[in-house]
Structure formats: C-alpha cells, structure tokens
Amino acid sequence: MQGFNQEIPVARFFTCIFFIAVALLLMTAGFVFIVDPYAIWRQESHKINAIKLEPPSASQRGSAVLRSALHTPDVLILGSSRVRRGFNERLASRLYRSDVQVVGVDALPLSNARDLFFAISQQGRIKRLYLEVSYLTSNACEAKNDDETGKNKLAFPFDYLSPKDAVKQSLKTLKTNLLHISSYDSYFDAQGRFHDQVVNGTTHAGGAEIDEPRYNRIIQTRIGACKGRAANAADIKDLTDMFQRAKAEETEVILLILPVTARWQARILQVGLSARAAQWKTEITGLASQFHVQVLDYEQRNDLSTLAENSNHAMPMFWDEIHFSNRLGDHILNDMAYASPVGRVPHTR
C-alpha cells in the first residue's frame, strides 16, 4: 500500500499522457488510412472498400492534392462534380496508357481550378491537362469578396483535408462494405463507375423531376451574379496564368465544354443567360486560340448521345439535368483520347 501513496513525478505523468495521446492518434490515423475512403493511398480497390462513397466537398481539394503528391499523374482531368461523376478514371488510364487522375470538385470556379492546377503541378510534371470550363462556374458567376480570395490558396495538401470528414467517411465505408448496408447513395463501384442511387445496382432515371426545386434554386442563386458581366477579367487572368504555367512546363492543355440536358439549356434560355454564356464562351475560346490550346465542345454534339443510346441501357445518360453518367462519359473519354495531337501520352513510370 505504501507504493500507491507515493506521488508520481510531474514529468513522468505528462510523458505518459503524451505517449497515450500519440498512440490514440496513430490508431485513429491507421484506421482511416486502412479504409482510405478518398483513395489517396491505394490504387486498386480491395474487398474492404470495393464500394467507395462520394467524398464530401470539404475534403475534395485537399485529398486531390495529397493523392497527387504520392502518385503524380501523367494526365490530369480537372473540373466540377460532372467530371468526377461522369469520367471513369480506370477507363481513362487504359485509354491513355498513362496514370490518369480525375479531380472533380463541387461547383469548381476557375479561380480554384487555377490554384489546384498549380498545387498539383508542383508535385511533378503533368504531361496533359484536360480542364473543364463552364459559364456558370466561372468567376463571373461567383459572388465572392476580394478579401476571401486568399482562402482559396492550397499552400499545403492538408489545408482543405478535414480529419473529421475522413473519419466519418471511413465509418460509412466500413458499414457499407463489411455489413452490406444498401442505404448508401452517390458511390463508386469496384470498377470505378459512379452510381447515383442503389436500385438493383444502378439508379433511377427520373432524378430530374425529383430535383426540380433544387435546380430552380441553383438558377435563382446564379442569376444575379451571372448577369453582371458576360466575361470576367478574372477568368481571362486565371486561364492566362494556367496557359503560361503549362507552356513553361511543357504541359499540353485541352479545354472541355461538357454536355448538359436540353432541359438545363432551356432553363438558361428562360432566365436570359444564353446570350451572356455564348459571349463568355466566345471570349474563352478566343483566348485559347491565342495560346494554341484546343477546345473540345461537347455541349451541342448529338453524335455522342447517339452512340451512348446503343450501350449500357441499365444506366441513364444523365443522372440529372447537368450530371452525365459513365454511359455518355465513356464515349467522351474515348473521343478525348484521339482529339489531342499526341494520341497517347507515353508512360514514363
């Protein structure tokens, strides 16, 4: 009993607390990295996470930069959630015979796209950049204060990587894959294909009607900002910076204008944004021409839709009014592969 009455030295007490905290931190980090919901460390799906849930918006940029730091891609496809949901990264890697990284961040404006490209290109040379451009995600339609511009910088990969989101995503991934809980939605399967909801392994095709109030809200929130100017000087500056950086690093740049449904185009026409969007596209393509940058415009092309009609009938061509599925995305990826003057990117690793 006398031993229990002896006081523990203060230094030893705090040392024990420190090592216990470190051990708990390492256990948590190990748990998160084993499950790896953001596919940062793993390159192939395993049984424990064959079904990968869609990452939360708070961690999309940071996880993309961290992943590129560990596995520098030869080809980078950068854009909004339409890129993330519509393009199968594994298929793209096979088509281009290269390491392809698909980075799709929710409603990614050009200012953030510029910062992401700079942050990822610092990890290693990117041979080709496919960049999605869209009027509704341009700086012209982003109602941001100049004082907030600095918050978009990605000085370090962990700046926008939320540990809380990572832990929550890991728990969801474990429950989904180990307990076979089928209540999840917005996920990627073992083949890297996106699914909008679980209905016999595919999705329902009537999402546009269900999301009617949502798209009305999107349009209403964009109208005021977009009607200010047809083309924003910030767009020209951001794209110029990206083109100059790419030229200095010998990175081929191709701009993508991706398809939307006729219903979404009708909304843009109804609110009076069609003329401004067309003028914006003209100025952006004009700038691309000055830098000899190719522009692939799939917004008005019907031949891709015709091709997709004859394949994979279990999956609709569009999940909703603006997000196209892999059924259409596969054909776009194939077209992109041959649209570049360099048909294939040589694999150097």
Side-chain angles (χ1 to χ4, degrees):
M1 295 296 294
Q2 184 177 1
F4 288 98
N5 293 330
Q6 295 179 353
E7 294 184 359
I8 301 177
V10 175
R12 181 180 298 178
F13 173 77
F14 283 107
T15 300
C16 292
I17 294 297
F18 171 77
F19 281 112
I20 291 174
V22 170
L24 291 174
L25 180 62
L26 291 176
M27 288 177 60
T28 303
F31 175 75
V32 171
F33 292 148
I34 288 174
V35 178
D36 190 14
Y38 303 142
I40 297 173
W41 309 96
R42 63 184 168 88
Q43 290 297 293
E44 299 293 336
S45 293
H46 300 289
K47 185 176 180 180
I48 196 172
N49 52 7
I51 295 176
K52 185 165 68 75
L53 303 182
E54 195 170 22
S57 56
S59 295
Q60 288 169 4
R61 288 187 287 174
S63 61
V65 177
L66 180 58
R67 183 184 168 200
S68 68
L70 298 174
H71 311 284
T72 304
D74 295 312
V75 178
L76 177 65
I77 305 178
L78 178 61
S80 66
S81 59
R82 296 196 293 164
V83 165
R84 181 179 72 246
R85 296 182 178 186
F87 290 149
N88 184 340
E89 189 175 90
R90 292 189 177 189
L91 174 63
S93 297
R94 291 198 301 270
L95 286 173
Y96 307 152
R97 300 174 187 173
S98 306
D99 291 334
V100 178
Q101 183 177 356
V102 175
V103 178
V105 178
D106 295 344
L108 182 70
L110 274 175
S111 57
N112 288 172
R114 171 188 175 276
D115 294 336
L116 262 176
F117 171 60
F118 281 15
I120 293 176
S121 62
Q122 288 177 357
Q123 315 304 325
R125 178 174 171 258
I126 298 173
K127 296 180 176 62
R128 187 187 303 168
L129 167 68
Y130 291 100
L131 175 66
E132 178 197 6
V133 291
S134 172
Y135 176 57
L136 289 185
T137 54
S138 67
N139 293 312
C141 295
E142 291 294 314
K144 294 182 179 180
N145 296 325
D146 294 337
D147 296 338
E148 296 181 354
T149 305
K151 297 181 181 180
N152 297 323
K153 303 297 182 183
L154 278 168
F156 189 72
F158 289 101
D159 287 354
Y160 286 89
L161 186 62
S162 169
K164 179 181 178 181
D165 282 341
V167 172
K168 290 170 63 177
Q169 193 83 343
S170 296
L171 293 175
K172 289 181 182 179
T173 303
L174 274 180
K175 289 167 62 178
T176 298
N177 288 276
L178 299 183
L179 303 180
H180 304 289
I181 297 176
S182 60
S183 61
Y184 52 89
D185 57 12
S186 298
Y187 71 99
F188 297 86
D189 63 20
Q191 287 72 43
R193 299 191 174 279
F194 179 81
H195 297 266
D196 183 53
Q197 284 192 358
V198 179
V199 180
N200 296 326
T202 58
T203 184
H204 64 285
E209 286 77 11
I210 296 175
D211 290 336
E212 178 77 21
R214 175 192 173 198
Y215 289 100
N216 283 333
R217 289 195 300 270
I218 292 176
I219 284 291
Q220 292 302 321
T221 55
R222 296 285 183 179
I223 289 176
C226 292
K227 282 190 174 181
R229 297 178 63 185
N232 194 312
D235 294 333
I236 302 299
K237 181 181 184 304
D238 288 335
L239 279 176
T240 299
D241 290 345
M242 295 177 73
F243 293 160
Q244 290 176 342
R245 175 72 169 264
K247 184 177 181 180
E249 297 182 354
E250 298 182 344
T251 298
E252 178 190 6
V253 180
I254 299 176
L255 297 186
L256 300 176
I257 301 175
L258 297 176
V260 294
T261 62
R263 187 169 183 174
W264 180 256
Q265 292 177 348
R267 289 185 190 272
I268 302 301
L269 178 64
Q270 185 178 6
V271 298
L273 291 178
S274 290
R276 290 180 173 85
Q279 182 181 345
W280 179 87
K281 183 190 292 187
T282 299
E283 297 210 12
I284 293 302
T285 54
L287 177 68
S289 178
Q290 294 177 24
F291 284 89
H292 306 287
V293 169
Q294 189 175 10
V295 180
L296 301 180
D297 189 349
Y298 298 103
E299 196 170 35
Q300 307 294 338
R301 285 183 58 176
N302 295 322
D303 56 333
L304 289 171
S305 298
T306 303
L307 287 171
E309 284 287 356
N310 300 319
S311 65
N312 195 10
H313 289 285
M315 181 180 286
M317 287 193 295
F318 286 88
W319 301 119
D320 49 41
E321 294 186 16
I322 57 177
H323 293 97
F324 58 92
S325 71
N326 298 131
R327 180 178 172 186
L328 184 56
D330 290 353
H331 295 287
I332 297 176
L333 280 175
N334 188 70
D335 188 82
M336 289 161 51
Y338 290 95
S340 170
V342 183
R344 291 286 187 267
V345 177
H347 185 62
T348 57
R349 283 187 289 280

